[in-house]
Amino acid sequence: MEFGGKEKMAWTLNGCNVGLDAKAGVILPGTVQHAEEAIGAVKAGKVIAVPTDTLYGFACDACSAEAVYRIYEIKGRKLTSPLAICVGDVWDIKRFAVTDHLPDGLLDSLLPGPVTVVLSRGESSILEKSLNPGLETIGVRVPDSDFIRVIARGSGSALALTSANLSGQQSSICIKDFEDLWTQCAFVFDGSLIPAGRAGSTVVDLVEQGKYKILRPGSAMEETVAILEKYSLLDGNEATA
């Protein structure tokens, strides 16, 4: 789909007023009606900006080394800082990480939602070795957001996913927050203002059987810990304190 470079659009984003000029050709609504454009860009090895249930993120095909490197370039991020992946459904996680040590039903209780689960990649993971080289773990998200999940399903792979901002700057809750980076993306999908705040997802390490470690409190720590303890997991942070 092509957009005339002279077109102008102005959207009001619940407190984020955005006047879009010549560079507005990359802006589309972040709705499932526009998922095909997003899927096509991902399959072509491009980087897109998308809303999730917590923050706006940059996403690309996690199995495209070139696209993943492009995300690092856009963010000015150190190559040693790992990226998480996003999959369309909870049952997809086992394609990319080890889950058979977890209690039945745990992942379905945590996800979809504002949680990143860190798991071992394992030998059977179909992830490219070029993603987070040298790391034996991977952070996995299944956001409570239909749009990005449709994209992940349609890609046939996983999406590499990280916050849409320059490294070290505040995270983005509306597209105005990363306006200077719009032109670096094939598309910027506008999902309006994300009300969850800037804390991001709660990151929990589930690598060790029977234990959990909160790596980042994020926006859902209390609820996440309650679910983990319901499944009788022990707090590994206390053991190492």
Side-chain angles (χ1 to χ4, degrees), residues 159-227:
L159 303 177
L161 182 65
T162 186
S163 56
N165 58 296
L166 288 173
S167 186
Q169 294 190 3
Q170 75 173 9
S171 300
S172 300
I173 57 174
C174 70
I175 65 171
K176 179 71 173 177
D177 288 342
F178 59 99
E179 181 178 8
D180 290 346
L181 302 176
W182 290 352
T183 57
Q184 304 298 312
C185 303
F187 292 105
V188 174
F189 291 95
D190 179 14
S192 193
L193 182 71
I194 297 175
R198 301 184 192 272
S201 64
T202 296
V203 182
V204 57
D205 183 327
L206 296 177
V207 171
E208 187 175 354
Q209 185 170 3
K211 294 184 179 181
Y212 72 88
K213 292 182 181 179
I214 299 295
L215 303 182
R216 183 177 72 190
S219 60
M221 178 174 169
E222 185 176 339
E223 303 92 322
T224 300
V225 169
I227 292 170

Side-chain angles (χ1 to χ4, degrees), residues 14-113:
N14 298 327
C16 292
N17 294 321
V18 182
L20 307 180
D21 53 21
K23 59 189 172 183
V26 299
I27 309 294
L28 286 175
T31 61
V32 292
Q33 287 79 9
H34 292 280
E36 286 304 316
E37 287 96 330
I39 293 167
V42 168
K43 287 185 173 181
K46 306 297 184 181
V47 174
I48 59 175
V50 291
T52 73
D53 54 350
T54 54
L55 302 167
Y56 276 83
F58 292 135
C60 71
D61 182 353
C63 291
S64 168
E66 182 177 347
V68 167
Y69 182 71
R70 181 69 182 130
I71 280 185
Y72 280 98
E73 280 190 321
I74 293 170
K75 285 180 64 73
R77 185 181 176 98
K78 294 180 180 178
L79 292 173
T80 52
S81 299
L83 299 180
I85 63 170
C86 167
V87 297
D89 296 285
V90 174
W91 59 77
D92 290 320
I93 297 176
K94 63 181 179 293
R95 299 171 59 204
F96 304 96
V98 177
T99 63
D100 53 12
H101 64 296
L102 298 175
D104 289 343
L106 174 61
L107 291 178
D108 288 300
S109 295
L110 291 170
L111 303 168

Side-chain angles (χ1 to χ4, degrees), residues 125-139:
S125 174
I126 66 172
L127 282 175
E128 290 289 325
K129 301 298 183 184
S130 59
L131 181 69
N132 305 337
L135 282 183
E136 297 180 355
T137 58
I138 187 70

